[in-house]
Amino acid sequence: MAVTASRAFTCYNHKLFFFPNTSINLCPTPIKVPSLLLNGNGNGNGNGNSLFYRPKNPIPRCVHSAPKNLETHSQSHVPRRRNVIEILEERGLLESITSDKLRSACSDSNLKVYCGFDPTAESLHLGNLLGIIVLSWFQQCGHKAVALIGGATARIGDPSGKSLERPELDPDSLEKNTQGITNTITRILGRNTKPSSDSFVIINNYDWWKDVTLLDFLKRVGRYARVGTMMAKESVKKRLESEQGMSYTEFTYQLLQGYDFLYLFQKEGVSVQIGGSDQWGNITAGTELIRKILQAEGAYGLTFSLLLKSDGTKFGKSEDGAIWLSSSMLSPYKFYQYFFSVPDVDVVRLLKILTFSDIEEINELEREMKSPGYVPNTAQRRLAEEVTRFVHGQDGLDEALKATEALRPGAETRLDWQTIEGIAKDVPSCSLAYNEVLNLPLIDLSVSAGLLESKSAARRLLKQGGLYLNNSRVDSEGKKIEAQDIVDGKILLLSAGKKNKVGSCNDYDCISLFERLECGFMAKCNILGGCKFQPISFAHYSLREA
């Protein structure tokens, strides 16, 4: 089937086709959701106002992992290897595929697989990570990943899963966002492939949409779209039933995404589109468009489940907002802490979905969690380390581990101001003058900085062995802040916490910044050549009982 489709596609690129204006079956089997079906025609010769040609001098928006070498509809035969579909199924990543023929195609051919990312923000977030992970699995199985940046579709906004229309983005914001997520994808996919590998490419769909006129689009595509089918899509029905309704602009989004698949199939040889389960209708719109307009087989769709918690709520949000993949918007330390705070009920499933750890190792860890000798949070630590390394690299993980250890009350790690300074922006803070802190009783400082509500609460915690200065437990109620307490002349770290109910009373586990219990803070003192008025900022972090 793959060879036949390839020949048919090659033939299309060298001959003029006539596509009869006929009605189209909108629900081919075995598609589980009614799909939008489009039809149209084009001369395919690269001349005139056709939707089926690439501009002679497009804006340079294509980023490759190596010099470009995209052969037409690449499905060259390779030795049989482990099937990526089987891997995705085993790990719980597979939701649906448009045809079982994709299984054999993945074993017998080198495929090109794409996932779309609309630049609606300067960074991708945790919800986008699944798409990158699935692309990476295809890479590891010998296929080529294509990341499509929606420079055009972001101007419209995908209504799928949204209760309100996205705000319109100005050109400067779009360009900035495009650059930001391009850098993120390049960093992640490039780091996790061999240096000599040509296993991924990044393309912007604005390259082909910018020269398409409305009349051309309506003539070539719109006339073959069935309004009834478009309105029957779940994302459209929900919005039409809401008080806000849906604009015509959003209504056309499905046509744009459907055509993107056709363009990539025709011009770049991409034969598989992947996306979250909410993208099923948009994906099958593209496969049907390819089958009817190009009269070609071999185009497939694959969806993965959305990232949800065990209770069905969305995973990837914190009290502070989205979990971003860019270190400029969320530090590796805070990223690490988010995954370390995952509850036991979710951690094994997330290890299978979000990491590349061997499935047997994960199963063994799951068995250990049920044994009496299991060390609490071992699975969470493994999850946090693996995901942080994949997104931020080994350097990012080292930074996160160093900060985590430095902020753990009772830790023997020597504190340094660079480590604390690096995460100061991640936590709430306040400022006090240097001369107000020096020689101030620790009990008073704990209250004035907002760590504890009252001096009596501070004294009570101190007597319980839960008040720390620079990770050392304070036993004396009369302790005052001395100059040597300020680490490197710049940092003062105080922390408070409860006893570890599993280990000894001196054992603490520093985790999520999003827990409600404020158990510690750090004080930053900037020494600028003398003890004049310098601010000291206090930042709270959280502890979790093991």
Side-chain angles (χ1 to χ4, degrees), residues 23 36 77 81 119:
S23 298
L36 163 68
H77 288 283
R81 61 289 178 90

Side-chain angles (χ1 to χ4, degrees), residues 19 21 154 281 291 527:
F19 301 113
N21 181 12
R291 186 170 64 87
I527 305 299

Side-chain angles (χ1 to χ4, degrees), residues 9 54-55 96 105 139 165 199 294 352 371 473 489 495 508-509:
F9 176 77
R54 184 196 294 269
S96 302
Q139 281 183 299
E165 186 168 3
S199 62
L294 301 184
K352 293 178 180 179
S371 66
R473 189 171 64 185
S495 49
Y508 293 82
D509 215 349

Side-chain angles (χ1 to χ4, degrees), residues 14-32:
H14 292 85
K15 293 185 180 181
L16 182 64
F17 273 74
F18 170 76
F19 301 113
N21 181 12
T22 57
S23 298
I24 301 169
N25 175 19
L26 298 177
C27 300
T29 56
I31 298 174
K32 71 172 185 179

Side-chain angles (χ1 to χ4, degrees), residues 156-173:
I156 304 300
D158 187 358
S160 301
K162 300 296 179 183
S163 58
L164 295 173
E165 186 168 3
R166 293 181 184 271
E168 185 177 356
L169 296 173
D170 60 81
D172 289 341
S173 295

Side-chain angles (χ1 to χ4, degrees), residues 345-362:
V345 69
D346 290 322
V347 67
V348 172
R349 180 173 55 87
L350 293 177
L351 275 167
K352 293 178 180 179
I353 292 174
L354 297 178
T355 79
F356 297 85
S357 299
D358 185 79
I359 201 73
E360 284 303 320
E361 292 181 15
I362 298 174

Side-chain angles (χ1 to χ4, degrees), residues 340 342-345 347-348 351 361-383 500 502-503 509 544 546:
F340 194 84
V342 168
D344 288 347
V345 69
V347 67
V348 172
L351 275 167
E361 292 181 15
I362 298 174
N363 291 336
E364 177 61 28
L365 186 56
E366 183 178 19
R367 288 189 288 269
E368 291 178 5
M369 291 177 67
K370 302 174 183 178
S371 66
Y374 173 70
V375 178
N377 302 320
T378 299
Q380 282 85 348
R381 184 173 289 107
R382 175 68 178 271
L383 173 67
N500 184 319
V502 176
D509 215 349
R544 175 187 178 185

Side-chain angles (χ1 to χ4, degrees), residues 12 41-55 208 211-213 216-217 220 259 263 266-267:
Y12 172 80
N41 51 49
N43 54 26
N45 59 14
N47 299 317
N49 284 331
S50 168
L51 285 178
F52 307 114
Y53 82 101
R54 184 196 294 269
W208 54 86
D211 293 323
V212 174
T213 66
D216 194 37
F217 174 70
R220 305 295 186 183
Y259 177 74
Y263 182 92
Q266 178 193 9
K267 297 293 185 179

